[in-house]
């Protein structure tokens, strides 16, 4: 497992942690490319906030507010489903934040025999069609969608599915939690009929 981050002279991770060196000509991929790598984006501190929110709120809702009162039944089932959705949401966050979004190496010159490569002044690199420079992360990415500060990284072809999972599971866990609290009479309202 290799964590890719730009560490400075004193070992501190810079806020813009996804810098990559420029590749010259047909230079071979680094030998570490065969290992599983975790990519941390430039706003990895926001990822910590997102992780804290996505873990503490469901723990409060499903562990404290909807505590097992021995009645079992529907509330217990809602707790189980809600906790599963919340866990899936946290897993999707970690996958979206840690996966390679589709970072494309920088090239000082177009590779031999390549067609359609253009110079990107912002990236100081040649890039093929479909590769975009992200001004937040300072990297070239394939299939760029947007930059998500809450995941702390670029959302692109490599982590898009995990991001969709995150944006689907999180509202579902929230909606189920609100419904379960209302059904259990958590706010002093009438409890759902048995």
């Amino acid at each position: 497992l290799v964590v890719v981050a730009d560490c400075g002279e004193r070992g501190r991770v810079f806020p813009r942690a996804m810098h990559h060196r420029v590749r010259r000509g047909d230079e071979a991929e680094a030998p570490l490319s065969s290992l599983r790598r975790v990519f941390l984006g430039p706003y990895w501190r926001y990822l910590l906030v997102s992780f804290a929110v996505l873990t503490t709120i469901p723990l409060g809702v499903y562990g404290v507010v909807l505590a097992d009162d021995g009645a079992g039944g529907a509330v217990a089932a809602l707790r189980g489903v809600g906790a599963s959705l919340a866990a899936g949401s946290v897993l999707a966050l970690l996958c979206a934040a840690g996966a390679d979004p589709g970072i494309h190496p920088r090239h000082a010159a177009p590779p031999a025999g390549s067609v359609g490569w253009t110079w990107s002044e912002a990236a100081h690199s040649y890039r093929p069609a479909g590769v975009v420079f992200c001004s937040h992360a300072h990297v070239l990415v394939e299939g760029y969608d947007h930059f998500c500060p809450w995941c702390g990284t670029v959302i692109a072809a490599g982590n898009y599915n995990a991001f969709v999972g995150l944006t689907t599971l999180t509202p579902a866990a929230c909606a189920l939690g609100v419904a379960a609290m209302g059904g259990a009479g958590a706010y002093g309202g009438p409890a759902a009929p048995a």
Side-chain angles (χ1 to χ4, degrees):
L1 181 69
V2 178
V3 176
V4 177
D6 185 7
C7 293
E9 299 165 359
R10 298 180 188 172
R12 289 180 42 215
V13 177
F14 282 91
R16 304 201 184 277
M18 288 177 24
H19 291 284
H20 290 272
R21 64 185 185 83
V22 175
R23 198 177 273 187
R24 304 193 193 292
D26 291 332
E27 187 177 331
E29 181 78 25
L32 294 175
S33 64
S34 63
L35 299 174
R36 180 78 178 140
R37 298 182 287 182
V38 175
F39 288 81
L40 296 177
Y43 295 107
W44 57 270
R45 290 173 186 94
Y46 288 177
L47 169 63
L48 298 177
V49 172
S50 299
F51 181 79
V53 167
L54 289 180
T55 54
T56 56
I57 291 175
L59 283 174
V61 170
Y62 298 113
V64 176
V65 175
L66 296 175
D68 190 13
D69 58 1
V75 174
L78 287 174
R79 285 182 67 205
V81 172
S84 298
L85 288 172
S89 171
V90 170
L91 181 63
L93 171 69
L94 295 176
C95 288
D100 178 359
I103 295 175
H104 193 275
R106 296 177 190 229
H107 292 272
S114 61
V115 178
W117 285 55
T118 58
W119 175 256
S120 169
E121 188 61 39
H124 301 289
S125 173
Y126 282 91
R127 60 182 174 87
V131 172
V132 176
F133 178 73
C134 175
S135 61
H136 293 285
H138 294 269
V139 292
L140 291 166
V141 289
E142 296 180 50
Y144 179 83
D145 187 64
H146 69 284
F147 183 84
C148 178
W150 300 109
C151 289
T153 193
V154 180
I155 304 302
N159 60 357
Y160 182 77
N161 290 339
F163 182 77
V164 169
L166 171 67
T167 58
T168 303
L169 292 172
T170 301
C174 291
L176 189 63
V178 169
M181 287 188 299
Y187 289 115

